[in-house]
Amino acid sequence: MISMECSIIHGAREWCLWFFIPMYIPEDKISQVLAASDIVDVVSEAVILKRSGQNFFGLCPFHSEKTSSFSVNPAKQIFYCFGCHAGGNALAFIMKYNGISFPEAVRMLARKYNIPLELESADPAVRQRANTRESLFRLNKKVMDYYAGRLAQSADAGEARKYLHKRGTSPEVIEQFHLGHAQDSWDGVVRLLKKEGVGRKTAVESGLILPRKQGNGYYDRFRNRIIFPIFDINMQVAGFGGRIMDEGQPKYLNSPETMVYHKSKILYGLHAARQHCRTSGMVYIVEGYFDFLSLYQKGIQNCVATLGTALTSDHVRILKGYAKKMVLVFDSDTAGLNAAKRSIQIFLNQGVDTRILVLPRGSDPDSFIMEQSQDPVGAWEENARNAKTMMEFLFDLSRQNHGFSVEGRLRILEEMKEYLAAIGDRALRSLYIKQLAESLQIDERAVLEKVRDKVQTDSARSTGRQKNSADEHVVQRLRSDPREEQILSMMICHPDMIQMVEDSKVLDFFYSDRLKKIARIIMEGRMDQQGRLHDLLSRVEDPQDQELIAALSMKGNWDEVENIQPAAQALIHRIIRVRQKNDNPLVSKIISAQKNGQEDVLDLLRQKQQEIEHLHHN
Ligand SMILES: [Zn+2]
């Protein structure tokens, strides 16, 4: 007997923008790119994968989780998340992970596997966007080389060279991270871009030059600063940061948001640190350029910097692809502690193992590591062992602020309940509640009550919506039959069964129009014996349908069914038999009774429904 995981619920897309994009890249090109690529290779650039049987598993980069429900099947070249139901082929992964369009994803994959690609865009707007992004990357690279060349050679960059030397930044690090120098003038980059023939529109969009407030013309954004190019994960120069060398203001200046630079999604140094994060399983999160560079230089290379922007949930989501454990490193000054407090909420929501490392008074990561002449790595790690859990950190901070008198302890409780309520994991929450009660010497039940009140107020707002969607789910369930999904799973896993399905005309009995539609697409395509899904997924335009197909091929265990023919036949016959017997308007009756609030009618109808379901299962 085959047992299957049946219910496939499709949640709304939360954070990734999907646009309907006409497929203007020739299909054979897409097939060529996909055939050359390997999904395990592609995904493992973003997710730590572990092999388990036929599949690989890892933490999903698309939703918050602590156990690995994200799977990759190399034989079928698809990924699927059992938690949030994201799924698809290598291209779908690249699109979703990077938040880019389909043609951009094809380009990226083609570049990775060295396949030349000439795009003929059917949609000028899409083509325009892709072109602009590429021009910006090209321009940034040029400007990076210009700044770096200045730092290395220009006579007027002497002060910058001296400054870096004084801070102890090594020539190797300067070279590896392409540090540069912006000259003390208004038009260094303006002239460079003119000389290079860069269009005015692109030049302005890069944020590197700004229109003069009076009169015509433009001026440089970065002047007389040390320049730090900011790379994205694909090693492309997305933006720049600049630090002033004297006491002027602002001390740090970054590129503005552009089409290629999104500060909420970019972490300084990740392109260089990611492999180290992966090997060590942890990442240190620091604040500044020099914090990062000094740690990196001294051998702490599993490290990234947030660059003055508050840590975002996107940052954390990205980092989860590289490390399970995260250590937030902060200065012990008030600003640092407040920043730590703000970041904690994000980590609580994302359910990541997070520690807070507050450095000894008067140190920041840069000064701390640079002062260690003997064994910097050892000294750092020794310090890191004192990192506190988030709750310990918050408790200590609260205790410092409020003292430990009766009133003080009550205030601590008031403060801590906010954080405790934000913890999604109930078991973890109750552990912390116990801990807090002990530390405060307050009855555990009193703490529990406080937190429960808070949790209830927080969820009150969304309750209405949840109820509605629960109703919808009931209706959906009544209208669907898990066996229809099983049929599709089977067609995907055993293409040799497709003909049988077609001949039986079982599709005519499907409740689900969507499954029917997808089944037809599968039939049209006829996959090869290896069950290759590449081409199937490329032929499906709707990303939600792609996810469904990925789900159908990962769920169910058709691969393990030995005698496929009779199992398939039985399944098909059961669907047809039950439909013929119960082809009545029961479902619509239930829905209308629900709408009109006829509880007694509803009970009767539900009873009937159960009888039918019982029949289904026999
Ligand atoms: Zn997921």
Side-chain angles (χ1 to χ4, degrees), residues 136-200:
L136 286 176
F137 282 130
R138 260 201 308 273
L139 181 156
N140 283 346
K141 165 83 168 59
K142 246 177 220 152
V143 175
M144 174 183 84
D145 291 342
Y146 161 77
Y147 285 143
R150 288 194 52 76
L151 179 67
Q153 285 160 0
S154 288
D156 64 342
E159 196 200 335
R161 289 191 287 267
K162 236 183 273 168
Y163 179 85
L164 287 169
H165 181 74
K166 201 177 76 201
R167 292 200 71 142
T169 313
S170 72
E172 292 76 26
V173 160
I174 292 174
E175 196 187 324
Q176 185 183 352
F177 293 92
H178 301 268
L179 303 197
H181 174 249
Q183 71 185 110
D184 193 7
S185 87
W186 295 93
D187 61 355
V189 171
V190 169
R191 272 186 294 153
L192 170 79
L193 298 184
K194 203 175 275 172
K195 197 183 92 196
E196 296 279 346
V198 174
R200 191 173 43 176

Side-chain angles (χ1 to χ4, degrees), residues 61-348:
F62 305 121
H63 85 280
S64 306
E65 66 169 359
K66 281 183 225 155
T67 51
S68 305
S69 42
F70 182 86
S71 61
V72 177
N73 182 313
K76 299 194 185 103
Q77 287 291 306
I78 54 161
F79 73 95
Y80 179 67
C81 173
F82 290 89
C84 70
H85 310 287
N89 59 12
L91 283 170
F93 182 84
I94 291 174
M95 286 166 75
K96 204 169 159 65
Y97 188 75
N98 298 290
I100 58 176
S101 68
F102 182 78
E104 280 182 296
V106 177
R107 251 184 225 226
M108 206 162 154
L109 204 54
R111 212 181 295 135
K112 183 171 158 68
Y113 291 97
N114 289 321
I115 296 167
L117 201 66
E118 284 83 47
L119 298 185
E120 298 149 41
S121 175
D123 181 343
V126 171
R127 191 178 180 182
Q128 176 79 43
R129 210 176 154 268
N131 285 343
T132 308
R133 283 173 59 91
E134 282 205 352
S135 319
L136 286 176
F137 282 130
R138 260 201 308 273
L139 181 156
N140 283 346
K141 165 83 168 59
K142 246 177 220 152
V143 175
M144 174 183 84
D145 291 342
Y146 161 77
Y147 285 143
R150 288 194 52 76
L151 179 67
Q153 285 160 0
S154 288
D156 64 342
E159 196 200 335
R161 289 191 287 267
K162 236 183 273 168
Y163 179 85
L164 287 169
H165 181 74
K166 201 177 76 201
R167 292 200 71 142
T169 313
S170 72
E172 292 76 26
V173 160
I174 292 174
E175 196 187 324
Q176 185 183 352
F177 293 92
H178 301 268
L179 303 197
H181 174 249
Q183 71 185 110
D184 193 7
S185 87
W186 295 93
D187 61 355
V189 171
V190 169
R191 272 186 294 153
L192 170 79
L193 298 184
K194 203 175 275 172
K195 197 183 92 196
E196 296 279 346
V198 174
R200 191 173 43 176
K201 195 166 165 286
T202 312
V204 172
E205 265 179 65
S206 75
L208 286 164
I209 62 169
L210 301 153
R212 286 187 196 279
K213 294 203 175 71
Q214 282 153 354
N216 299 324
Y218 298 87
Y219 66 96
D220 286 16
R221 176 181 295 273
F222 297 106
R223 296 177 306 279
N224 198 26
R225 283 169 188 271
I226 306 269
I227 297 294
F228 306 86
I230 301 164
F231 289 87
D232 70 10
I233 201 68
N234 301 309
M235 300 285 291
Q236 305 179 103
V237 191
F240 297 90
R243 191 200 193 280
I244 214 147
M245 286 164 279
D246 52 30
E247 293 307 305
Q249 290 291 336
K251 198 152 118 187
Y252 285 97
L253 187 67
N254 286 343
S255 287
E257 292 280 307
T258 68
M259 222 183 234
V260 297
Y261 179 65
H262 308 286
K263 63 179 180 201
S264 65
K265 286 190 179 165
I266 215 154
L267 288 150
Y268 185 70
L270 182 58
H271 69 285
R274 58 177 170 172
Q275 218 41 57
H276 305 287
C277 295
R278 216 168 263 169
T279 1
S280 64
M282 69 180 285
V283 55
Y284 292 104
I285 304 168
V286 297
E287 287 180 287
Y289 296 101
F290 281 111
D291 293 330
F292 171 85
L293 293 173
S294 299
L295 285 174
Y296 196 91
Q297 179 176 324
K298 292 286 185 175
I300 309 290
Q301 300 185 321
N302 50 336
C303 173
V304 294
T306 54
L307 301 183
T309 47
L311 203 70
T312 67
S313 47
D314 279 330
H315 285 145
V316 177
R317 198 153 21 208
I318 291 165
L319 285 176
K320 271 163 75 179
Y322 301 99
K324 273 188 174 161
K325 194 172 161 187
M326 302 182 192
V327 181
L328 281 159
V329 188
F330 289 100
D331 312 349
S332 60
D333 61 16
T334 327
L337 295 181
N338 285 334
K341 232 167 129 178
R342 274 197 305 276
S343 306
I344 282 172
Q345 206 73 29
I346 290 161
F347 285 97
L348 284 175

Side-chain angles (χ1 to χ4, degrees), residues 400-435:
Q400 271 169 35
N401 290 338
H402 302 302
F404 215 58
S405 63
V406 174
E407 291 78 15
R409 281 187 288 159
L410 285 175
R411 269 189 223 120
I412 295 174
L413 178 55
E414 282 298 313
E415 241 175 60
M416 294 300 291
K417 79 173 185 201
E418 302 280 328
Y419 297 109
L420 289 166
I423 301 173
D425 188 324
R426 278 189 194 194
L428 188 66
R429 195 200 297 159
S430 71
L431 273 174
Y432 280 133
I433 288 174
K434 199 170 151 62
Q435 228 174 51

Side-chain angles (χ1 to χ4, degrees), residues 1 481 483 570-571 573-579 581-582 609-618:
M1 195 58 223
D481 179 347
R483 263 179 288 250
L571 181 63
H573 284 158
R574 218 170 300 129
I575 291 181
I576 297 176
R577 186 169 52 109
V578 172
R579 295 298 143 86
K581 250 188 194 171
N582 299 290
Q609 178 73 21
Q610 266 168 13
E611 281 166 27
I612 293 168
E613 287 202 349
H614 183 70
L615 205 81
H616 273 241
H617 291 288
N618 286 303

